[in-house]
Amino acid sequence: RSMLWRSDDAPHVLILGSIHFWDGALPDWILEVHGGADAIVFESDIRNPMPPPCVPPGLSLTALDSELWLIVEGTALGLGLDAQAVHELSDQYPFAIGGRLGALSLTQAGAHFEQGPDAVLTERTSNPLSLETFPEFYRILYQETSLAEQIASLRITIKQLGELPKRFLRALENWRMGEPEAVLDALGFSRHFNEFPGLAAGLFANRHKLWLPRAEYYIRRAAELGHRLLIVVGCSHLAGPQTFLADLRDRYGYKFRRF
């Protein structure tokens, strides 16, 4: 099975369940689906990224948990960050620090965001549309999620960094087999749903609330123009207990199915 969904209610729309990092060349079918679309919607406009915000004064990890910061510092240096880049990490939100360390670990293992469907397809799209802005993403995920949950998640991330390359390879294999639930589990999001409800809401449910009216507008506008629309989101948003597909069905009546 592919990672594509379609709807009889909106036959001009395809939804692609993406995976953000990749190792090697993308399958030809992804490029063919992209080439057949008149308009492409991504989670955000990664052509114009913004750095994550700094924590408010007095709330840096060095102040909140100096012991954990020493572990972060050693881990980041071991992953190849220079002293200045490590220093800049100290003022970031804990979940952002965990994401940075995870990305470095994957890059060392040969997986790169630049090779992933999001980056490759954005590069091939002249006017990409988006479901959220970077400030909105940062607000929902970092600024509206408790620092206690973020710190606890960061501790687990560091402990499991050594497992991450194997987890990614398992996730990639499950993606190729068309198993989004298995991808979700391999990447550890199932644990986040159970142990970190605030982070799970920030990653999924709260972002979906932001995405829904924009997605509906793009779907409706594409129909008016006679355009074929491709919506590209991480496949973890299409599995588990907080799916974007269920949200589209419940709010607007669009019923998407795999094909």
Side-chain angles (χ1 to χ4, degrees), residues 1-17 33 41 131 180 211-212 214-220 222-223 227-233 237-239 243-259:
R1 294 182 296 176
S2 72
M3 282 290 190
L4 285 170
W5 280 256
R6 71 186 311 164
S7 172
D8 293 334
D9 307 301
H12 62 296
V13 181
L14 288 177
I15 295 180
L16 168 64
V33 168
V41 181
L131 296 169
W211 294 359
L212 283 169
R214 296 171 186 178
E216 197 275 335
Y217 169 78
Y218 293 138
I219 291 171
R220 179 165 40 83
H227 286 173
R228 295 162 296 178
L229 182 68
L230 176 64
I231 300 175
V232 183
V233 298
H237 293 279
L238 309 178
T243 80
F244 185 51
L245 299 172
D247 292 337
L248 281 170
R249 180 199 63 212
D250 295 343
R251 184 159 177 178
Y252 298 112
Y254 296 122
K255 298 175 183 178
F256 283 86
R257 55 182 170 79
R258 297 279 296 280
F259 77 97

Side-chain angles (χ1 to χ4, degrees), residues 145-211:
T145 304
S146 80
L147 288 174
E149 273 200 27
Q150 293 188 51
I151 289 173
S153 174
L154 175 57
R155 284 188 178 277
I156 290 177
T157 296
I158 292 173
K159 289 179 181 178
Q160 296 181 344
L161 273 180
E163 304 172 14
L164 189 56
K166 289 183 179 179
R167 281 179 172 269
F168 168 74
L169 290 176
R170 190 163 75 248
L172 190 56
E173 181 62 25
N174 289 324
W175 188 94
R176 290 188 172 113
M177 293 173 63
E179 299 292 346
E181 295 282 355
V183 174
L184 191 75
D185 185 61
L187 295 177
F189 284 132
S190 300
R191 182 171 188 173
H192 273 83
F193 284 131
N194 295 325
E195 296 188 18
F196 306 114
L199 281 172
L203 282 167
F204 300 103
N206 293 343
R207 292 172 70 200
H208 295 173
K209 292 176 184 177
L210 182 70
W211 294 359

